[in-house]
Amino acid sequence: MISWYVTQASSYAADVDDLFLLIALIVGAFFLAAEFVLLWLIVKFRARPGVKARYITGEKTSETRWVNYPHYLVLVFDILIVAAALRVWSEVKIDLPPAEERVRIIAQQWAWTFVHAGPDGKLDTADDIRTVNVLNLQVNRLYHYELHSKDVLHSFSVPAFRLKQDAVPGRAIVGWFRPTVIGEFDLQCAEICGIGHGLMPGRVRIRSAGAHAAWMEMAPRMPQLASVTPAMPATGAPASFAARAASVEASAERERGNR
Amino acid sequence: MEVPTGRLAIWWVLASETVVFGGLLGSYIMMRLRHGAWADQAANTNTWAGAFNTLVLLTSSLSAVLAHQAAERADGPKAARLLRYTILGGGVFLMVKAFEWTHEIGEGFTITSGLFWSFYYTAAGLHAAHVVAGMVIMFIVSLTAARNEELHRVENVGIYWHFVDVVWIFLFPLLYIAK
Amino acid sequence: MSELAVHPAGHHDQGFVKTYLWSTDHKVIAMQYLFTGMLMALIGGFAVYVFRMQLAFPGQSVPLFGRVSAGQYNSLVTMHGTIMIFWVAMPVLLAAFGNYLIPLMLGCDDMVFPKVNRLSYQIFLLSAVVLVASFVVPGGAFGGAWTAYPPLSANAVYNLTRYGATVWVVAVALEFVAFLLGGINFVTTAMNSRAPGMRMFDVPIVVWMIVIASILFMASVGPLLAGAAMLFFDQVLGTGFYDPATGGDPILWQHLFWFFGHPEVYVVLLPAMGIVAEIIPVFSRKKLFGYRTIVYTAVATGVISFFVWAHHQFVAGIDPRMASLFTITTLIISVPIAEMLFVYIATLYGGSITLTTPMLWALSFVAEFLLGGVTGIFLGAAGADIYLHDTYFVLAHFHYTFFPIAIIGAFAGITFWFPKMFGRMMDERLGKIHFWVTIIAFNFIFIPLFMTGAAGDHRRIFDYSGFPDLATPGLQRLRIIATMGLVSLLAVQPVFFFNFIRSMVRGRVAGANPWRANTLEWSAPSPPPHGNFAELPEVYRGPYEYSTEDREEDFWPQHVPDDSPAPAPAATAVGWR
C-alpha cells in the first residue's frame, strides 16, 4: 500500500511494505468487524415503545465468551504481527551484511554532507569525495552508512528506501542499505532541528555501475578537511551493534578525554 | 483499609518525591557507570562532612520519632520541643553543606565544572531544598502542637522528615563514597 | 446561581470573589479548570488553524495572522501540541470532571483537602499564564516541538527561542506540580470518603478511572520533573546534562520524557473512557457489561504502560535489541484496551438505545478511537515504524486517539452533566448539529493525513515545495482537504458555545435527574448547593442497575433503600431549585 505512493528502491523496501500490508489486513478486518457490530447493535437495539432492555451483568461465562473470543483472537494476531515485525526490524537494524562500500553522512543545521569513499573504497583517504545535499550511489551495491550530527538531533530518512535513522551528536551510528532502482529520490531530515528543518531537503541519486564510475571520475576532489568527529576505528566494523557503538564511543572518549 | 487521610496524603507526596529523586539519581547512576573518570572528580568531595551530615540527619530523625511518641501521649509542648530539635538538626545540616559548597566552589568546582558536578549540585541542592521546606513546615506544626492542637500532624511531618533522611542515605554513598 | 449562596451548612452569602474566584468548593474549582481548559483550547485551536493554512497554501498570508515564517511555524506546532495535551486534555478530563464528579458520585460534601484543591488550581492557572506569556517574550514561543528534545531545546543558539524555551520548561513544570497536588485529593477522597454502604465495586467507573489515572500520573511524572530541572539548568546555567561535549546524553532526555509520556496518554484516556462508561448504560438502559473486567483491564493497562515507552524511540539510536523488547510490550498493551472497547460494545446488546447528544458523543468515541487504536499497531511494530516514524501517519494515529479523548470525551461529559452543573438542559437540536459537523469534519482532517503520511510526508515541515517527491498535486490536494476539514471543524464550534451559554441562562429547567440515572450525583439538586446533599446518602447497590428484572422502573438509583418499590424522589429536600 505504501508502494502506491512511493517507489521501492532498496532491497528491504518490499519487506517493510509487506509488513505494512499484513498489519493493514489484520487490523483492518478487526476494525471493520468491530465497527459493523457497533453499528448493528445501535440499530437493532434502538428504543422501542413497550420493549424493555435486558438485564445482563457480563459476569457469567456464557456472556463473557462473546468478548473473550475476540479478545483471544487479538492476542493471537498480535503475536503474529510481532513475529513479522521483528523479522523486518532485525533485517534492517540488527543485521549488518558485509559492506561493499561506505559512506559517511554528516547532518547539521541545515544541510547534509556526504563523504564517499572514492575509488579506493576506503573512507578517510585522499580520494574521498565530499558532496553536499546529494547522495550519489551505485545501484545494487551494499552500503554501510556512518551517521553523524554536528549540532542537534537530525534524522536521515529516505522514504524510497523505507529507511530512517536519527543522527545523534557525539555518536556515529552505523547501518546499511542496498539501492535496487536507478533514479532520484527524496532525502529528508525527519527530526525537528530548528527553523531550517524543512529547508534541508536532499536527493539520493542512484546510477548504474558505469554511470556511477563516471560520476566518481568527474567529481572534484576536496582537500581533506578536519574530521567532524574524533577519529573512527580504521578497519572494518565489529559484528554487533553494541560492539560497534562501544568501539566508536571508546575512541571518542579517548580523544575527548573526560572533564 | 482505612488509612487516616493525613497520612494517605503524606504517602502520596512521598511517592511522588520518590519518583522525582529516583529519576534524577537513576540518570546519575547510568551516566556515572559510563564515565569511569568521574571517580577522580568525586574524590574532591568531603567525605567527612558528608558522614557528619548523615549522623546529624539520623539524629534529627530520632528526635522526630520521639516527638511523635510525645504527641501520641498527648504531650503537645514536649512534641513541639522535640520538633524544634529536629529543625535544629536540619539547620546544622545546611550549615555544613554551606561550608562544603563554599570550599568546593572556591576550589573551582562549580555546577558547570563538569557533568559530575552538575549532578552533584543538582541532586544535593534538590535535597537541601526539601530540607528547608521540611524545616518550615515542621516549625508551623510545632506552633500548633505546642498548644496541644492538631497533634496528628506531628506524625505526618515526621514521616516526611524520615523521607528526607532516606534520600540522603542514598545520596551520600552515590556522591561521596563512590570514588 | 444564587443556590451557592444558600445551603444547609449555614454559611452566609460570600460575595462574588469568595464564591467564584477564591472558593474551596470542588464544583467551583471544577468549573475553573473547565473554563480555563476551554479557553486554552481556543488558543491551541487558533495555532493549528494558522499552521494548517500555511500547509494548504504555502507562503500565502493567513487571514487573522499574516505570513507564517519557518520559525513561527515551529513555535505554532510546539504550542499547539503542548497546549492541547497539558492545558486542555488534562484540566478538562482529569481536573474538571474529577473535581466535579468525585465528591458527588461518592456521596460526600467536598474533597478531603479543599484548600490544597484550591491551591492546585491556582498553580495551574499560573502555569497557563506563564505559558501564554511565552508568545510575547523576545524571540517568541518555544519552537522545539512539544517533545523538546535536546540539544535543540537546551541551547538557544540552536532553537533561536531562548526565552520561550525556558518559559516553556517552567510552565510545564508548574503544571506538573499542580496536577500532583490535585491528585492528592482524588485518591484520598476516593479511598476515605465514600458514602456508607458503597463498597469498592459500587463506585462508578469514571471515579475508578480518574483515581487510576492520578496514580499513573504521579508515578510517571517524577523522572520528567527531574529531567525538566536538568533541561532548565542546561538552558540557563550552561550545565551539560544533555550535551555530548561534556559527557552528557541527548537520549537521556528522551527516556525521561517518554517514560512519562507514554503513561500520560493513558492518564487522559482513562477518564475519557470513564465518562463514556457512565453515559452508555444510561442511554441504553442497560447494566454496564463486565464492571470488574473494566477495572482490572484499566489497572493492567496502567501497569503495562510503564513498559512501552521506547516505542517512541525505535530509530532514535537506542540499542536495536531493546527495540524488539518494546515491540512486544507495545503490542501486548493493545490487548486490555481492545477488551475495554469490546466490553463497551457488548453493553449495547439487548439495550434500549436513545441517541441523545451525550450518547452520540459516547458512541462516536468508541467508533473513532477504534481507528486510533488499530493504527497504533503499525507504529508499535518496529519494522514498520522505521518507515512511519515522524510521518503524518503517526500524527493521524495520535489524533484518532487524542481527539476522541480530549474533544469527544469532553463534549460527551459536558453535554451529559450540564443539566447537573447548571440546572438546565442544553438544546438537543443544536447539540446534534454540532456533533455531526464536528465528527464528519474530524474525519476529513485526518484520513487524508494517514495517506500523506504513508506517502512520506514527514512532520514539522512548514512547506513541502522543496521536496520533489512530496510536492505533487495529489498530495497537496490531500493537505488542502485536511485543512478544509479543520476550518469546518472550527467553524461549527461557535454553535456549541452558543448552545452552552444560552442554555445556562435560558435552557429548560432540568430537575435533579433528567436522564433517570442511578449514580449519586443525580440525587442531589441541580445545581448542587455548597455541601452537595441536604442529607448525605447511603448506598444500597452498584451504579448500573438498569432494567432489573421484577421491577417496573428501568432504573434503580444507588441511594434508594432495597425495600422501596419505586425510586425515591430525586430532589432530597424541598426548596432547592
Side-chain angles (χ1 to χ4, degrees), chain B residues 1-6 8-9 12-13 15-16 19-20 22-24 27 30-31 34-35 38 111-112 114-115 118-119 122, chain C residues 112-113 180 183-184 187-188 191-192 214-215 218-220 222-223 225-226 230 233 237-241 246-249 252 256:
Chain B
M1 188 189 54
E2 271 292 327
V3 182
T5 49
L8 251 187
W12 175 270
V13 170
S16 26
V19 242
V20 176
L24 185 59
S27 305
M30 282 191 43
M31 303 291 274
R34 254 194 255 174
H35 296 278
W38 284 13
I111 197 175
T112 46
L115 200 51
S118 305
F119 271 108
T122 304
Chain C
V112 174
F113 301 108
L180 281 173
I184 296 179
V187 174
T188 48
M191 285 191 66
N192 284 0
S214 300
I215 296 173
M218 181 274 285
S220 63
L225 214 38
M230 296 194 272
F233 285 154
L237 295 178
T239 49
F241 289 105
T246 51
D249 187 1
L252 174 64
L256 294 172

Side-chain angles (χ1 to χ4, degrees), chain C residues 138-202:
Chain C
F142 177 49
W146 86 282
T147 44
Y149 284 0
L152 182 69
S153 61
N155 201 320
V157 161
Y158 295 144
N159 63 51
L160 304 179
T161 51
R162 171 183 296 277
Y163 301 107
T166 304
V167 170
W168 183 92
V169 174
V170 171
V172 171
L174 281 172
E175 196 261 13
F176 288 167
V177 170
F179 275 90
L180 281 173
L181 279 179
I184 296 179
N185 264 307
F186 293 168
V187 174
T188 48
T189 307
M191 285 191 66
N192 284 0
S193 299
R194 278 172 276 140
M198 186 181 271
R199 300 157 299 176
M200 292 274 261
F201 287 160
D202 295 328

Side-chain angles (χ1 to χ4, degrees), chain A residues 35 54-55 71 78 164 190, chain C residues 334 339 350 367 387 389-390 545:
Chain A
E35 296 284 4
R54 288 183 228 182
Y55 185 79
H71 185 211
D78 271 350
K164 197 166 279 140
Chain C
S334 69
E339 172 97 357
Y387 178 74
H389 173 73
D390 229 75
E545 299 303 308

